[in-house]
Amino acid sequence: MRCVVANWKMNLTSHEARAFCEDLLLRMAPDPGAEIGIAPPYTLLHQVSELVRPKGIQVFGQNGHAEPKGAFTGEIAMPQLRDAGCSGVILGHSERRQFFGETDAALTQKIKAAWQWDLLPLLCIGESLAQRDAGQTLAVLGQQLSILAETGPGPLWVAYEPVWAIGTGRRAEAAQVVEAHAFIRAELNRHLTGTEYRVPILYGGSVTPESFPELLGLPEVAGGLVGGASLDSRKFAELVKQAG
Ligand code: PGA
């Protein structure tokens, strides 16, 4: 089954979130045939969960701390995400890595914590433009996935998000997506060999209803992690339909 996850980032108020969810549910088929997730800002988690979870849509946190509680002003703990209705958590988004100093070492702990609290980690990986231009794309992806050697196996979704394609309107070309996803699959096979886990690999970066069908036709593209286009319920409903 394909997956589509809306990453609202630091957008929408409760009034706007309610309008989005009500409109999305009106537009969606009762059985959309895809796994759907929404990652709202923390203040909206409860509200969005109550609206969409009865319809089978999962709710994700946008980040979570490795410690279950404590003196970490401004952070949110995995059990708090669960309590607010989340079943998953986005980890390692490039904006967290770039602007908030998120490291692979911290992510190793966060993945373990997510599993401990029964949350599905959606791990984001991707290269910057400078790294791509320097021919380092696969090395960067390999490095970012190497934390799986330390976490060990568990339920996981991965999103390939080339940093230069996020929020820029500049989607990666098909050949670039195919190369990256094939490499990620090989690395996942290496890290998770002999386990029961089959990890879907989502693409993220300027996904729109115009570009999504072609992406979904590429090998090893199991869906999308969507920022900008996921703030418009009409567009997001269209993406859900395309994935179904
Ligand atoms: P975008 O964001 O669709 O606006 O490029 C994707 C993401 O950051 O997950």
Side-chain angles (χ1 to χ4, degrees), residues 111-125:
I111 289 176
K112 288 185 191 167
W115 285 337
Q116 201 178 337
W117 293 96
D118 211 12
L119 290 165
L120 172 72
L122 169 45
L123 176 67
C124 302
I125 59 174

Side-chain angles (χ1 to χ4, degrees), residues 20 23 27 209 232-239:
F20 177 102
D23 189 54
R27 291 173 186 276
D232 177 331
S233 51
R234 232 188 47 223
K235 287 187 188 170
F236 190 65
E238 185 59 29
L239 294 170

Side-chain angles (χ1 to χ4, degrees), residues 7 9 93 95 161 165-168 204-207 225-229:
N7 178 8
K9 309 191 179 184
H93 190 281
E95 286 150 18
E161 298 207 307
I166 294 176
T168 58
S206 298
V207 171
L225 177 56
V226 190

Side-chain angles (χ1 to χ4, degrees), residues 11-29:
N11 293 293
L12 305 192
T13 59
S14 57
H15 181 73
E16 292 164 334
R18 172 173 294 279
F20 177 102
C21 293
E22 287 174 353
D23 189 54
L24 174 67
L25 295 176
L26 277 179
R27 291 173 186 276
M28 253 175 53

Side-chain angles (χ1 to χ4, degrees), residues 123-128 131-132 135-145 158-165 171-189 199-205 215 218-222:
L123 176 67
C124 302
I125 59 174
E127 80 288 358
S128 67
Q131 288 165 332
R132 174 163 284 276
Q136 296 168 345
T137 298
L138 300 186
V140 169
L141 299 179
Q143 172 62 36
Q144 290 172 333
L145 284 174
V158 167
Y160 169 57
E161 298 207 307
V163 177
W164 47 273
R171 208 206 77 197
E173 286 165 25
Q176 295 171 324
V177 177
V178 170
E179 182 192 35
H181 280 235
F183 177 78
I184 293 166
R185 174 59 65 208
E187 288 293 284
L188 288 170
N189 285 345
V199 179
I201 308 169
L202 285 61
Y203 169 82
L215 286 161
L218 301 176
E220 293 297 355
V221 175

